[in-house]
Structure formats: C-alpha cells, structure tokens
Amino acid sequence: MRGLHAIVTGGGSGIGAAIATALAAEGVQITLMGRTLKRLEALGLPGAHCIVADVSDAASVQAAFDAAAEFGPADILVNNAGEVESQPFGRTSLDVWQRLLDVNLTGSFLCTRQVLPGMTERGFGRIVNIASTAALRGYAYVAAYCAAKHGVLGMTRALALEVARKGVTVNAVCPGYTETAIVDDAIDRIAAKTGRSMEQARAELAASNPQGRLVQPHEVAQAVLWLCRRESSAITGQAIAVAGGEVM
Ligand code: NAP
C-alpha cells in the first residue's frame, strides 16, 4: 500500500483517527479532513495533510478536495465523518432529521463523487464507508441516524455494482458501539435521563455486544485496512459488521 494516497474524513478523532493511523503505518500518504483544523493537527500523524471541510456542505467539500488534489490523486477514500443525535421519533424536528442525513449520507455522496472519476480512469480505487450496525438493524430513538446509515449502505451497494469492472471497490464497515466520543456522549445522556450511574450506562451499551464489551477504534481500523489492500480486490458491495457478533 506504500505510496497510495488516502483521504479520511472525520480523521481527527475516534474511529477516523485510528483508521488514519493504521493506514499511515502501512506507508499510505494521508489527508485528514474535518471541521476543526486543531483537532486534525493534534493527531500528530507525521507527513499527514490536514484540510478543513464540512462534508455536509458541497462548496466546502469541493474546495477541500481541490486542495487535496495537490498532494496527488486519491486512491482511497474513507467516508468516516458522522454525527448522531437521539430523541423519540415524535420529537425529531425536520432540522435534526435533515442535518443527520446531510452529514452521514449526503456527505458520503459529496466526497465520493469528488474521487470516483479519477479512480475509474486510473483503474484503481478503494472506497470505504463507515456506516454502523444502525445500517443493518433498527435502534429506538435514532430514526434519523438509522435512516442515514441504511442510506449509506444502499449507496455502497449500488455504486459497487456500477464500478465493479473499473478496479474500484466500494464497501461499508458497520461498527457496533465503539469506545469514542460518540459513545461517551450516549453514556452521559443515558445517565442523565435515567438516573443510572455512568458505569451502569456503559455496561448497558456493552451488554448489546455478545462479547460483553465496547468495540475499540483500532478493531474497526483493521477491517478498513483489510478492505483497502490491493489483495482485497474481489470484496465489494459488502457490509462488514465489527460488532462482536451483535448482528449476523
Ligand atoms: P467522533 O470521534 O465524534 O468522530 C466523528 C468525526 O467526524 C469527528 O472527527 C468530527 O470532527 C467529524 N465530523 C462530524 N461532522 C462533520 C462534518 N459535517 N464535516 C466534517 N467532519 C465532521 O466519533 P466516532 O465514533 O469516531 O465516529 C466516526 C464514524 O463512526 C461516524 O460516522 C459514526 O457514525 C460511526 N460509528 C460510530 C460508532 C460508535 O459507537 N462510536 C458506531 C457505529 C458507527 P469535527 O467535529 O472536528 O468536524
């Protein structure tokens, strides 16, 4: 993989940071994108380029990928930037619904269309969309997030077929509850709403995983790394759950 160029959105924290670190360890040239430059730079990945981008904003995405093109064409795109917000369906405003679709689903569309023509022209590309087990099953109180992640998987499958003969693979990785800021926020929220302790709230999330624990970001990164390898060329259109057996 040495010398390939990967763009990782939301690469400054959590799962994205673990993915960027794992790819860099294989000699991949990394471009990190996210809304907060300081967060991207704080990762301290030697040689990585950091570019500010809001994936839900078409003009911002265009400008960011124009800037990234200066570091060479993208061979790998990891659509990892995402956001979750939970509330009962009846209290989900149109604004929240739209924002979660924009960030999680439209963001993946906007970034993918920036790199796809170059990948198909060069006959090589790896697109990995970080979906979720919420792309494979429902969870109460996160209808907008589930809808967006199911959409990501639909886009993954359709595009995989479209470019199947072009040397480009398109896959989704579907983590279960993974120990990052997103899960920390969920634990805070559960504790605040139910009066349970943080430990109880954490244990409740861990219990949904048959292994009885939270997934670690580096475990998600290893699945992404595998999909990005040249040797993984026959794997496309797949949803790879990294969730300790929660879905099968
Ligand atoms: P995280 O640490 O909060 O990472 C999310 C990243 O996305 C942040 O670096 C954030 O950086 C970036 N981001 C958010 N909105 C953005 C936007 N509009 N434009 C550009 N970047 C944006 O949480 P994480 O758990 O690692 O999440 C990474 C991905 O994994 C998400 O797609 C999430 O849905 C998915 N996932 C997580 C879990 C879990 O349990 N943790 C499970 C399944 C799937 P800025 O705020 O600086 O932009």
Side-chain angles (χ1 to χ4, degrees), residues 12 32 36-45 50:
L32 301 169
T36 322
L37 188 60
K38 265 191 186 154
R39 175 178 278 177
L40 302 175
E41 288 175 346
L43 188 59
L45 215 50
C50 301

Side-chain angles (χ1 to χ4, degrees), residues 13 15 35-36 39 53-55 80 131 145 149 175-176 178 180 183:
S13 64
I15 291 171
R35 290 170 303 180
T36 322
R39 175 178 278 177
D54 179 343
V55 299
N80 165 79
Y145 182 73
K149 293 297 192 181
T178 305
T180 70
V183 156

Side-chain angles (χ1 to χ4, degrees), residues 124-191:
F124 178 82
R126 297 282 180 264
I127 297 171
V128 182
N129 298 319
I130 306 305
S132 167
T133 46
L136 300 166
R137 50 158 290 198
Y139 292 87
Y141 309 119
V142 282
Y145 182 73
C146 274
K149 293 297 192 181
H150 272 68
V152 168
L153 186 50
M155 186 186 79
T156 301
R157 288 171 168 156
L159 183 57
L161 290 176
E162 211 169 303
V163 297
R165 290 167 188 253
K166 307 276 187 189
V168 179
T169 66
V170 189
N171 289 289
V173 167
C174 300
Y177 289 117
T178 305
E179 201 148 18
T180 70
I182 281 188
V183 156
D184 289 344
D185 291 349
I187 290 169
D188 285 348
R189 219 173 23 251
I190 293 169

